[in-house]
Amino acid sequence: MSAPNLKPLFEASGLGKEFPVHSGPWKKITGTVKALQNISLTLQAGETLAVVGGSGSGKTTLARILCRLLAPDQGEMRWEGSLSATFDRRAWARRVQMVFQDPYASLNPKLAVGTQLSEVLRLAPHTEHTAETLLATVGLAPEAVRRYPFQFSGGQRQRIAIARALALDPALLILDEPLSALDVATQAQIMALFQTLQKKNRLAYLLITHDLGLAAQWADRVIVLQEGRLIEEGPARQVLTAPQQPYTQALVEAVIA
């Protein structure tokens, strides 16, 4: 858990995103759907902010915008007070990285793990990391560099995905359902790894999850999205034990039931 600082590590204000709606045999654009509407949030170093909501609430769209994999239609982002537009893609990647839900899909099946890690390391030529040291950081043996993704278990592949995300020494990790593809025992191991890394490096995490139990156990604060709108936010214990909005109440009651 983190103590609040005067200056946020990361800020987003007024983020909005629309996508076209296609219909008919010619896929004609007939309108738009608002995936995000006026979303604002802040993150401090060493803090975990959970983003919860049902399918279609805008969680993954938000994650992709924060990583600059997707451009917002409205709003702005700041890193330690500086607008995101002042950073090129490589400079932003050194600050913000993403760990995806499916580690196998996020790794190239045709390349050895060491090759994939080395490709990322080339973006930071002055780093002291090597593929072997990155694997050691996430609890894998150095010889794993010669193996391919299919030769690892799901939990090991997720560790590799985390190692790759850490290669550029980011200060913020976007975690998009990082445990949902894993069995219960492996979930506990990966969560313990995330917490160890956070404590050691003061990493900030933005945790995208539908698992309210995980959010309650891990997060400092929670924001709740519904149909692209931020409808509730606050300390995790407060939001998840005494929710104020009917939608949040329904999410909590569904877990209890």
Side-chain angles (χ1 to χ4, degrees):
M1 300 292 180
S2 65
N5 299 318
L6 294 177
K7 188 175 183 180
L9 179 73
F10 173 84
E11 301 170 86
S13 58
L15 295 180
K17 185 66 182 178
E18 296 185 6
F19 293 109
V21 175
H22 300 85
S23 64
W26 304 106
K27 301 296 183 182
K28 182 179 179 181
I29 296 177
T30 57
T32 60
V33 59
K34 293 182 178 181
L36 289 180
Q37 302 178 57
N38 195 31
I39 302 297
S40 298
L41 58 90
T42 63
L43 264 166
Q44 307 284 357
E47 181 182 31
T48 299
L49 172 65
V51 181
V52 303
S55 298
S57 61
K59 301 189 301 297
T60 296
T61 298
L62 176 61
R64 292 176 65 82
I65 287 174
L66 300 190
C67 289
R68 288 178 57 175
L69 297 175
L70 189 66
D73 297 322
Q74 296 91 32
E76 63 182 28
M77 299 185 293
R78 292 181 179 269
W79 186 268
E80 295 182 329
S82 298
L83 283 169
S84 62
T86 63
F87 300 90
D88 62 24
R89 291 289 297 273
R90 181 175 297 188
W92 193 256
R94 290 176 180 168
R95 291 162 173 80
V96 183
Q97 282 286 308
M98 189 165 179
V99 177
F100 295 90
Q101 177 177 3
D102 183 351
Y104 190 74
S106 67
L107 296 171
N108 188 330
K110 297 181 180 180
L111 294 179
V113 164
T115 301
Q116 298 190 55
L117 294 176
S118 296
E119 286 184 344
V120 179
L121 289 170
R122 280 197 287 271
L123 299 176
H126 303 298
T127 184
E128 295 181 359
H129 293 309
T130 66
E132 289 82 0
T133 60
L134 285 170
L135 291 173
T137 298
V138 297
L140 293 176
E143 53 267 24
V145 295
R146 296 187 292 273
R147 297 165 62 191
Y148 290 79
F150 75 89
Q151 295 176 292
F152 296 91
S153 68
Q156 289 172 325
R157 287 195 290 266
Q158 191 63 297
R159 288 175 185 268
I160 294 165
I162 296 167
R164 185 176 61 184
L166 295 174
L168 301 181
D169 287 321
L172 169 59
L173 287 185
I174 311 294
L175 310 177
D176 188 5
E177 300 281 7
L179 306 181
S180 62
L182 307 174
D183 61 61
V184 174
T186 305
Q187 285 181 3
Q189 295 170 4
I190 298 300
M191 182 175 174
L193 172 61
F194 277 128
Q195 291 175 323
T196 297
L197 292 169
Q198 184 174 48
K199 184 176 181 180
K200 179 181 178 182
N201 302 318
R202 283 188 56 74
L203 286 169
Y205 292 142
L206 188 132
L207 173 66
I208 306 290
T209 185
H210 68 278
D211 186 340
L212 299 191
L214 177 63
Q217 183 179 357
W218 191 357
D220 298 286
R221 293 185 296 118
V222 170
I223 65 174
V224 183
L225 298 186
Q226 180 187 19
E227 296 180 349
R229 296 176 293 109
L230 196 162
I231 62 165
E232 190 160 359
E233 62 180 314
R237 182 181 297 274
Q238 173 186 312
V239 172
L240 298 176
T241 61
Q244 300 301 303
Q245 297 298 318
Y247 179 76
T248 312
Q249 292 169 2
L251 291 176
V252 172
E253 289 170 1
V255 173
I256 296 174

